[in-house]
Amino acid sequence: MTSSALPGPDAPTTPGMDAAATVRVEQAGLDALARALEDPAGLGGAFEQAVAMLLGISGRVVITGIGKSGHVARKIQSTLASTGTPSLYVHPAEASHGDLGMILPGDAILAFSNSGETTELGDIAAHALRTGQPLLAVTSKASSTLASTATLALTLPAMPEACPMGLAPTTSTLMQLAFGDALAVALLRQRGFTATEFGIFHPGGRLGARLRTVGELMHTGAAMPLTQPDTPMRDVIMEMTHKALGCVGIVGQNGALAGLITDGDLRRALDQDLTTTLAKDIMNPRPLTINPDALAAEALQVMNARKRPVTALFVLDRAGIPIGVVHLHDLIRAGVG
């Protein structure tokens, strides 16, 4: 175990000093990891091989580890699964008692062990050798049993633990976690995984709400406030009042959106003779619009983009024809705002 850079356990410190020193030691570990990943002759090259290997399998990434490394492995498995890489966690001890059956042909095994000498991983490693399944070992000991057994060894830099005794896994587990995140993001990018796909795997909570599409939230059909350019303002006001979305879309003869009138436009036009004014006289010919596949979070961003925020957006198809209206209140009710 590499000794810690923190003061010894008996050295006088304050909680704040301990906290800052801990962060600095762990930050040094992350800096060392970043440098190692940039080395094509070392960890960087192995990382490239790992990404290619995991993209090439027909099955899942089976992730394993025990103790603190096991907790990290579970988190990485969750991140992989939610970003388009099918995966599952197998506990090493349970694997020795029947759970090896969870590892199927076409799977690859990703094992985490800082020392590389975790005895509980032995049966999983032996299983990989018997079946010829790829075994990727994430460890800080290149000469360890696990690294020498693996199809591909991913050796992290050996850095001091933040524990003043150099015993409790701290820096090492943070580096494992960062490495797993880097692997998940690299696989995400290589797969072309989109925000829409991410939303499918995250339907709950505020994040799920922000990843819903405009098409799921918009008002459609008869609920859309629409009229023509030559409509008298009296009728425009009636349409706006009846549909209660604070705006009216103006459509041309081809059905495409030609402009927009909001309740703010009405207030600004009060100095005109509304008995003779037509919709085309006060409409905004370049309104903000959005497409139905846009995320709800994007719609909120568009609404807030101007100095004078808008409260509703017309949703157009590719021909520019209105197919819906999304209102700020719809976004708020969905939990986006």
Side-chain angles (χ1 to χ4, degrees):
M1 181 72 68
T2 306
S3 63
S4 170
L6 282 172
D10 298 324
T13 64
T14 66
M17 292 169 60
D18 283 340
T22 296
V23 171
R24 290 192 187 98
V25 171
E26 295 191 341
Q27 184 176 26
L30 292 179
D31 289 341
L33 177 60
R35 290 192 298 271
L37 286 168
E38 292 171 344
D39 180 9
L43 182 59
F47 184 87
E48 295 281 348
Q49 294 179 54
V51 171
M53 191 177 295
L54 296 181
L55 286 172
I57 63 174
S58 59
R60 306 151 304 171
V61 180
V62 178
I63 306 181
T64 190
I66 201 164
K68 304 300 187 296
S69 294
H71 293 304
V72 171
R74 289 179 185 273
K75 187 274 176 188
I76 294 169
Q77 182 274 317
S78 177
T79 300
L80 286 170
S82 70
T83 53
T85 298
S87 59
L88 77 157
Y89 172 81
V90 174
H91 193 287
E94 297 298 338
S96 301
H97 296 275
D99 280 4
L100 282 175
M102 298 170 65
I103 306 174
L104 304 176
D107 291 345
I109 301 168
L110 181 63
F112 286 83
S113 171
N114 185 45
S115 68
E117 301 295 343
T118 306
T119 56
E120 291 87 350
L121 291 173
D123 287 338
I124 290 181
H127 179 76
L129 288 173
R130 283 195 306 271
T131 61
Q133 290 173 302
L135 172 62
L136 290 73
V138 181
T139 175
S140 63
K141 306 291 184 182
S143 60
S144 65
T145 302
L146 181 63
S148 60
T149 303
T151 311
L152 178 64
L154 298 150
T155 308
L156 308 186
M159 296 296 291
E161 300 288 9
C163 166
M165 297 173 290
L167 298 176
T170 45
T171 308
S172 59
T173 48
L174 181 63
M175 291 167 64
Q176 288 178 342
L177 185 62
F179 180 87
D181 286 344
L183 187 61
V185 171
L187 290 168
L188 176 156
R189 289 185 180 278
Q190 291 298 311
R191 295 184 193 280
F193 193 73
T194 66
T196 300
E197 293 172 297
F198 192 85
I200 293 172
F201 297 147
H202 298 77
R206 185 178 177 86
L207 177 59
R210 293 181 67 84
L211 292 173
R212 292 180 68 181
T213 65
V214 169
E216 296 177 69
L217 302 174
M218 67 185 184
H219 302 266
T220 61
M224 288 189 292
L226 295 172
T227 191
Q228 290 74 44
D230 293 327
T231 303
M233 286 307 302
R234 179 181 181 279
D235 295 333
V236 171
I237 294 170
M238 292 296 294
E239 177 73 357
M240 185 182 297
T241 303
H242 180 63
K243 301 298 173 62
L245 291 175
C247 63
V248 174
I250 313 302
V251 294
Q253 292 183 349
N254 61 357
L257 188 72
L260 180 73
I261 297 176
T262 66
D263 52 6
D265 294 324
L266 285 178
R267 289 192 296 272
R268 287 185 287 274
L270 288 177
D271 59 346
Q272 302 182 33
D273 184 357
L274 295 184
T275 62
T276 60
T277 303
L278 303 179
K280 63 184 179 183
D281 297 328
I282 70 166
M283 73 179 188
N284 174 9
R286 292 183 296 276
L288 293 174
T289 62
I290 200 162
N291 69 75
D293 295 326
L295 299 179
E298 182 182 345
L300 184 62
Q301 183 179 15
V302 171
M303 288 180 181
N304 291 326
R306 290 187 173 178
K307 292 183 179 179
R308 183 181 294 156
V310 300
T311 58
L313 296 172
F314 265 86
V315 185
L316 308 183
D317 66 12
R318 292 184 179 180
I321 296 174
I323 57 174
V325 181
V326 63
H327 195 277
L328 176 62
H329 293 167
D330 303 320
L331 301 178
I332 293 173
R333 280 193 293 268
V336 180

